[in-house]
Amino acid sequence: MPNEKQLSEKESLQLITDMIQKVKNSYHDKGVGPLLWGTVVAIASFVSYLQLEYDFKLPFDIWLIVLGAIIPQIYLINQDKKTQKIKRHEDAALNAVWLVYALTIFGLSFYQSFAPNAAEQIMKTYGWQLVKHQIDNSKPDEIISPFTPSFYSLYILVYAFPTMITGLVKKYRPMIIGAIIAYSLFIVSCFTETKYDFLLGAISALACWFIPGILLRRMYLQQKKSNV
Amino acid sequence: MFKELDPILHSQLRLAVMSLLINVKEAEFTFIKEKTNSTAGNLSVQVQKLKEVGYIDVAKQFKENYPQTTCKITAKGIEAFESYVNALQAYLKV
């Protein structure tokens, strides 16, 4: 590009448009992150459903694979930082959204793990206990521990929020559609048994991340091919 | 009466650099060079001119033991770019 070529007004506008387009085409998410999370959350949710449906238990907690996925994710983020030649205005905001999402998921898990026991202790202090009472008196009353009914619905709700924000900010329709599906499945899950909530969670993970991830990956590979 | 176009921006390579930087938070020198199809020497001179008038900030640092130059548009640069585009639109009656 010659340095001091004087442009006509029309050429100037054309140049600005071309450059905007070049920036737009220069960066595509590799899609590995959404693919990774879509896969592990869908598998963990689906296996949880199978365990409840067919009454078996794996020798380990299947949700540990979600924790395990943090290691490759950190590696991927570092690799991206090394190769990225531009920083976009929205990058910092979206990173903050996903960080808050991770903290929220951690908070939900913490609540699920500790709140029922804490509630049991508090109830003991007040001299109460939860009892399962059959309305038709077909079985004797049974003392039960406090539990969080249909709790996985909240996870589905939380899956939708960073996905919707990312989709809206990046104007990426598959993620917006994925988030709308997750919001709809959240409503459905409020009326279904816990085992089906897991199944709905698996579908949400596929809709929010796995499918958009595949589409992003395809776009990235196509762009890489055209740049060669 | 038409407003005179900013002579700093009304040159092909400088306008290309500013058009790239207006869209991003910051960009590496190598990225700008690649997208504008310019030579390193030529680009350095134009980047320096944009820096001198305060339209961009240039930061030099080391990344993985290699020197890295990143450019970022300033508030003054954004204002100048917007005025330039408005003036162009007035000329072309867009």
Side-chain angles (χ1 to χ4, degrees), chain A:
Chain A
M1 189 177 276
N3 55 340
E4 290 297 340
K5 185 192 165 193
Q6 288 302 308
L7 301 158
S8 71
E9 289 75 20
K10 227 176 177 175
E11 284 173 329
S12 293
L13 265 189
Q14 189 55 50
L15 177 65
I16 294 169
T17 313
D18 290 347
M19 285 298 137
I20 291 171
Q21 203 53 42
K22 275 190 180 181
V23 173
K24 220 174 167 184
N25 294 338
S26 67
Y27 179 77
H28 276 301
D29 195 314
K30 290 176 183 158
V32 181
L35 265 176
L36 175 72
W37 289 103
T39 307
V40 293
V41 174
I43 290 174
S45 303
F46 190 63
V47 171
S48 300
Y49 158 72
L50 291 176
Q51 287 184 135
L52 290 172
E53 180 70 62
Y54 298 103
D55 202 17
F56 71 95
K57 220 166 168 50
L58 289 177
F60 64 97
D61 186 353
I62 188 66
W63 288 93
L64 287 174
I65 65 166
V66 178
L67 272 182
I70 290 173
I71 298 158
Q73 180 67 26
I74 291 170
Y75 173 76
L76 289 171
I77 289 170
N78 281 335
Q79 284 296 106
D80 257 5
K81 271 187 188 165
K82 278 181 196 166
T83 54
Q84 223 173 20
K85 289 183 173 178
I86 51 171
K87 272 190 194 159
R88 290 163 177 272
H89 294 290
E90 68 264 26
D91 286 348
L94 286 179
N95 287 343
V97 166
W98 284 95
L99 176 70
V100 171
Y101 161 77
L103 291 173
T104 308
I105 290 287
F106 175 77
L108 282 178
S109 309
F110 187 86
Y111 173 80
Q112 202 178 5
S113 305
F114 294 100
N117 283 341
E120 198 166 19
Q121 294 308 316
I122 292 166
M123 285 198 301
K124 263 187 193 161
T125 318
Y126 285 97
W128 306 341
Q129 57 185 192
L130 276 187
V131 174
K132 190 166 146 186
H133 171 71
Q134 301 283 336
I135 294 169
D136 59 2
N137 290 320
S138 58
K139 283 180 187 169
D141 287 355
E142 185 187 334
I143 294 166
I144 56 168
S145 297
F147 61 98
T148 46
S150 201
F151 196 70
Y152 197 69
S153 298
L154 294 183
Y155 281 89
I156 298 174
L157 179 64
V158 173
Y159 294 161
F161 104 84
T163 312
M164 184 59 110
I165 295 173
T166 306
L168 290 174
V169 170
K170 292 196 168 181
K171 296 185 179 70
Y172 186 50
R173 200 175 287 177
M175 275 198 168
I176 297 174
I177 295 169
I180 292 170
I181 292 172
Y183 279 124
S184 311
L185 294 180
F186 157 71
I187 293 169
V188 174
S189 73
C190 295
F191 301 96
T192 54
E193 270 182 59
T194 300
K195 62 180 177 183
Y196 297 120
D197 294 351
F198 282 114
L199 198 55
L200 296 173
I203 299 168
S204 300
L206 293 176
C208 283
W209 307 313
F210 187 76
I211 295 168
I214 285 179
L215 298 173
L216 279 172
R217 186 78 194 151
R218 198 193 289 171
M219 269 201 299
Y220 169 73
L221 292 175
Q222 271 172 0
Q223 188 213 8
K224 209 175 157 190
K225 211 172 157 187
S226 65
N227 285 347
V228 173

Side-chain angles (χ1 to χ4, degrees), chain B residues 9-27:
Chain B
L9 294 181
H10 201 54
S11 110
Q12 195 175 11
L13 185 49
R14 288 196 294 268
L15 182 60
V17 172
M18 290 293 281
S19 305
L20 280 182
L21 292 178
I22 197 89
N23 283 290
V24 295
K25 197 177 170 197
E26 59 182 51

Side-chain angles (χ1 to χ4, degrees), chain B residues 2-91:
Chain B
F2 287 119
K3 207 175 150 188
E4 203 180 316
L5 290 171
D6 184 342
I8 293 289
L9 294 181
H10 201 54
S11 110
Q12 195 175 11
L13 185 49
R14 288 196 294 268
L15 182 60
V17 172
M18 290 293 281
S19 305
L20 280 182
L21 292 178
I22 197 89
N23 283 290
V24 295
K25 197 177 170 197
E26 59 182 51
E28 281 185 24
F29 184 86
T30 50
F31 175 84
I32 303 171
K33 181 173 157 279
E34 182 193 320
K35 295 298 165 193
T36 55
N37 291 324
S38 55
T39 62
N42 192 0
L43 182 60
S44 286
V45 173
Q46 303 313 320
V47 162
Q48 189 56 33
K49 280 187 186 172
L50 289 169
K51 189 188 165 192
E52 278 166 11
V53 293
Y55 287 179
I56 64 169
D57 276 335
V58 179
K60 290 174 195 271
Q61 58 190 16
F62 278 89
K63 187 178 173 185
E64 309 259 310
N65 294 327
Y66 288 100
Q68 183 200 43
T69 305
T70 50
C71 303
K72 191 178 178 179
I73 199 163
T74 61
K76 190 181 173 187
I78 293 171
E79 206 178 296
F81 188 82
E82 282 173 353
S83 302
Y84 181 81
V85 172
N86 289 338
L88 275 184
Q89 286 173 334
Y91 271 107

